[in-house]
Amino acid sequence: MDPNTRGPEEYGHDDGGTARSSGFETGGNQSPRQRPPRESLTPDFSQHAPALARTVQLVSGDFLLTVNPVDGSEIEACPPAERPARPVKLTTAERAEAERAARPPVPPGPARPGLPLLARQDERERLVRLLARGRSVRLTGPAGCGRTRLLDLVSEDCSDLAPDGVVRLNGFGRTSDDLLYDLFHAVYDAPLHRPERDELLTHVREIGAVVVIDDLEFGGAALDELLEATPECAFLLGATPDVPAPSADAAVEEVFLGGLERAAGLDLLEHAVGRPLTDEESNWAGDLWFESEGLPLRFVQAGALLRQRDRLRAGTSAVDEFGVFEDAPPADASDAYDPADGDEVPLPSLGEAAAPAPLLASRLSASARATLRFAVALGGEVPHQAHLPALVGDTHADAALGELASCGLVSPVGSRYRLAAGVLTQLEAAGYADEAEAAARSAAQHYSWWAGHPSVTPERVCAEADALLAALAVLEPLTSPPAEGEESPAVHLARTAAPAFAAGLHWSAWERALHSGAEAARLARDIAERAYFHHELGILALCGGQLDRARAELEASIGLRGSLSDKRGTVAGRRALALVADRSGTPIGLGPTAGEEVPDARYEESASLAGGVPAAFPTLQQPPSPTLVTRQGASAPSRKARGGIKGLARRNIVAAGAGALLVAVLGTVVTLGATSDKEANPPSDQVGVNPSASQGVDDGGLDADRPANDSNGDPGAATSRPTDSGPDGTPGTSDDPTPTGDPSGSPSPGDSGSTPKPPTTSKPPATSKPPTTSKPPTTSKPPTTSKPPSTSKPPTSQPPTSQPPTSEPPTTQPSTSDTASGPAPSAPTSTTASAPQSSPDQVM
């Protein structure tokens, strides 16, 4: 049987639509014949050419994605020529073919007649009426109540109600987004095309069909989202009572499906056995109905127990002739049985009938029991019948699925089979999970070889996604660093299955495989495979619009591949990262990296703020000077974060102190002017047109510290004294200060022979009085000494100097002079309106 191409016999129908089996052929009066033996499972040791890697190119939204299983998927903006055409809906014949492919395969072996649906006619008619009105219905019932069988019949009744027919979907392990994409691909012909969210919603709004979803696992807001996205569809939802209910605003009718009545249960048991029940069996079935609350699955399993009892009572001759407990149980053993002639075999106890899985399994063939062990190891997932010969090691092991289905131990879920409700727990208690790790490891090795083979299509791998993911879930936490020359089974399985899931558009399985593979690679300490999984997770996040997550995953992958010097993988990662940067508008080097804590904002401290140092009194602040205010040290600025709130508060404190000192000095000047009014000609009335605080002759700005790299190169400009020709305009008079033409910059109060500079013009300070014009006195006495405020020192008329002291020692008391300005004392305070001198540490 070809696992890639499903033939008509795999669906249970031949070309004419009649049922057939792969083991027996019946026609007219022909007797059943044994099927021919198959080829041996011995491997072919001949040399084969290495198969090429399978690469698939598909369109996701406006991206062109190339699934590359070697170096990682490549993504780029889709060129206009590669954009797919608008998808068109499938025809009626194509929908019928797709529906047939979605059904579970008919198990090989002798075909048994189907069981009738008893006591469900009222529910069936009610569901059809509601769906015909366009209403959505939720069919709720416990596992084993016959919900799937009822949905099959209602789907047949509603085949002609909607223009797009009936669409069957599987809700087991699926989300709302998964079902929307499944619905899109079930109605539209769009191979290798996964539309983005908005385009998807546009297409599904145009679908008018009866959508049947069995084994639904979500409700509430997720179900509301599904219903709102498809306003032209009527949904028939099958769920168990533990699934969240729809919201109160959802227009969904609720239909509950309970157990059968006692008479209906006995009737179903007779159909399962194929003969009338004896009185003893009827009483036994009554006790079973009371214990099982009338669930039809229990009666199907009880019928299998009675059939096995009939074969046991047929005698040892039948065992020797037909091999009841070997691979081929006789189909007519129960028909040849006569209760009066056979050996007496007691009925199963009520406990065995309540949990019949271990007793049923013990009477099956060895291949069927091995299949059950694999199913238990995979969390209830039964491998496809095409894989059973390789897994079990028997060429006829695919017939085991027919045995399990006839006993009611498996039930169809979508296009595959799972263990029936309660069977997994019963088999685990019976010891079938003792070798679960070894079975999962064998399954992982088989699926790794199969999924990575180029002849296996991605669609077939997606059909076995649940079994592959179940094997990954078992082996992932058990992964450890492999020995030299070996490979981790979990890493290998995820590595081969993930590209197939991506190419088959089963992206929820792709994401789960990538997460499991990344964790398994971390435990196995495989850096190369770990880089691959992070790269693929970044590509998946980029396709989903999660740019931050895509950036983090891709940067982690690039870092790991950089440590391995993997140039090709690094190039692929950087191309995808550039696309992330282009979509997010953030340069590559500025985004947060994976595993790195985003630091606080850092500011490099400059010499001064652009607008000057903030002060507590803005009205007393001078206009900003074109030169720098503070002197930078020789050392480089610190890399620590010294800006922000702390730095600003520190500068504000320094500026506030400077402003307070300036206010104190100005108050002292006003006080001295007020106390000197007793003189005939007070010095306060002799203020010239130009204030004493003026710019130097070289226009170097106010008397602040000049930076070391000043272009003027005049070290004395910062301490130069202002010049003023006085109100009479004659330089060199007694009211004029000493000119600043000396390049040395040292003050010389007694030098009267130096040639004065031309007068300069400066702005008056904001706090000075209006200038008065008066002739300077020929003789003047020093102003009356008054006690200055305790908060300031005696005022001086000369700004502070930052130059080294002259040969004369500084005096601590003010001296008298015949001029209005007097000699320049070396006082530490300043009477100018400029900002006080501060050290670099204060500003910094």
Side-chain angles (χ1 to χ4, degrees), residues 399-796:
L401 185 62
E403 296 183 56
L404 300 177
S406 62
C407 294
L409 294 179
V410 297
S411 59
V413 177
S415 61
R416 64 189 191 281
Y417 286 91
R418 281 183 57 87
L419 294 180
V423 174
L424 177 61
T425 305
Q426 299 171 23
L427 293 179
E428 288 177 346
Y432 278 77
D434 295 342
E435 301 177 357
E437 181 181 352
R441 193 176 300 273
S442 299
Q445 293 174 354
H446 167 74
Y447 282 125
S448 298
W449 166 82
W450 175 74
H453 200 277
S455 63
V456 180
T457 61
E459 290 76 16
R460 292 292 298 125
V461 180
C462 293
E464 293 292 308
D466 293 279
L468 271 70
L469 294 176
L472 272 177
V474 174
L475 297 179
E476 173 194 336
L478 304 176
T479 304
S480 60
E484 185 178 358
E486 296 182 357
E487 190 174 11
S488 173
V491 175
H492 190 204
L493 178 59
R495 189 69 165 79
T496 55
F501 292 153
L505 299 179
H506 194 347
W507 282 17
S508 60
W510 184 27
E511 182 177 7
R512 291 175 58 187
L514 292 177
H515 282 294
S516 299
E519 180 63 18
R522 185 188 66 83
L523 296 176
R525 300 176 185 176
D526 194 336
I527 300 178
E529 300 299 341
R530 187 179 175 188
Y532 168 82
F533 290 123
H534 281 294
H535 175 86
E536 294 295 291
L537 285 172
I539 297 295
L540 178 61
L542 178 57
C543 293
Q546 302 174 356
L547 300 181
D548 293 338
R549 179 181 174 185
R551 180 190 297 272
E553 296 288 352
L554 290 173
E555 287 180 348
S557 175
I558 292 173
L560 293 173
R561 283 175 165 172
S563 63
L564 299 174
S565 299
D566 184 3
K567 295 182 179 180
R568 297 181 60 181
T570 302
V571 169
R574 291 193 178 278
R575 288 177 179 175
L577 191 59
L579 189 57
V580 173
D582 179 69
R583 290 303 175 98
S584 62
T586 305
I588 296 178
L590 298 182
T593 58
E596 178 182 353
E597 183 179 358
V598 180
D600 296 335
R602 296 184 297 179
Y603 303 94
E604 295 295 338
E605 190 78 34
S606 61
S608 175
L609 296 178
V613 180
F617 305 92
T619 57
L620 300 178
Q621 194 174 2
Q622 290 187 0
S625 173
T627 59
L628 298 178
V629 177
T630 59
R631 180 183 293 109
Q632 286 291 339
S635 61
S638 174
R639 298 291 296 177
K640 293 183 179 181
R642 301 183 61 181
I645 297 177
K646 291 184 178 181
L648 182 59
R650 190 172 183 180
R651 290 192 291 269
N652 286 342
I653 292 173
V654 175
L661 180 60
L662 181 60
V663 170
V665 172
L666 293 177
T668 304
V669 172
V670 173
T671 303
L672 292 178
T675 58
S676 63
D677 289 342
K678 295 181 181 181
E679 298 292 335
N681 295 316
S684 61
D685 294 337
Q686 307 302 322
V687 180
V689 178
N690 295 324
S692 61
S694 62
Q695 293 179 340
V697 294
D698 56 351
D699 290 337
L702 298 179
D703 45 353
D705 291 340
R706 188 183 301 275
N709 58 352
D710 190 28
S711 61
N712 293 334
D714 187 4
T719 60
S720 62
R721 297 172 58 186
T723 60
D724 192 0
S725 62
D728 55 358
T730 303
T733 57
S734 60
D735 61 332
D736 294 334
T738 303
T740 59
D742 189 7
S744 63
S746 61
S748 56
D751 188 7
S752 59
S754 59
T755 304
K757 295 286 185 177
T760 58
T761 305
S762 62
K763 297 181 181 180
T767 59
S768 63
K769 295 181 180 181
T772 59
T773 305
S774 63
K775 184 178 181 180
T778 56
T779 59
S780 62
K781 296 181 180 180
T784 305
T785 303
S786 61
K787 187 177 182 180
S790 60
T791 59
S792 63
K793 295 182 179 181
T796 61

Side-chain angles (χ1 to χ4, degrees), residues 266-324:
L266 296 179
D267 193 7
L268 179 60
L269 183 58
E270 288 185 352
H271 282 86
V273 178
R275 60 174 177 80
L277 299 178
T278 63
D279 294 339
E280 182 184 8
E281 292 172 344
S282 298
N283 296 332
W284 175 79
D287 296 338
L288 177 62
W289 173 83
F290 182 80
E291 188 275 334
S292 65
E293 298 180 355
L295 292 180
L297 177 62
R298 297 291 184 86
F299 290 97
V300 174
Q301 295 172 347
L305 287 175
L306 294 181
R307 291 199 306 271
Q308 290 180 349
R309 177 173 176 261
D310 292 344
R311 287 195 294 268
L312 288 175
R313 296 174 66 182
T316 56
S317 58
V319 175
D320 296 336
E321 181 179 356
F322 298 101
V324 177

Side-chain angles (χ1 to χ4, degrees), residues 360-371:
L360 288 172
S362 63
R363 297 173 178 177
L364 297 177
S365 63
S367 299
R369 291 194 297 271
T371 303

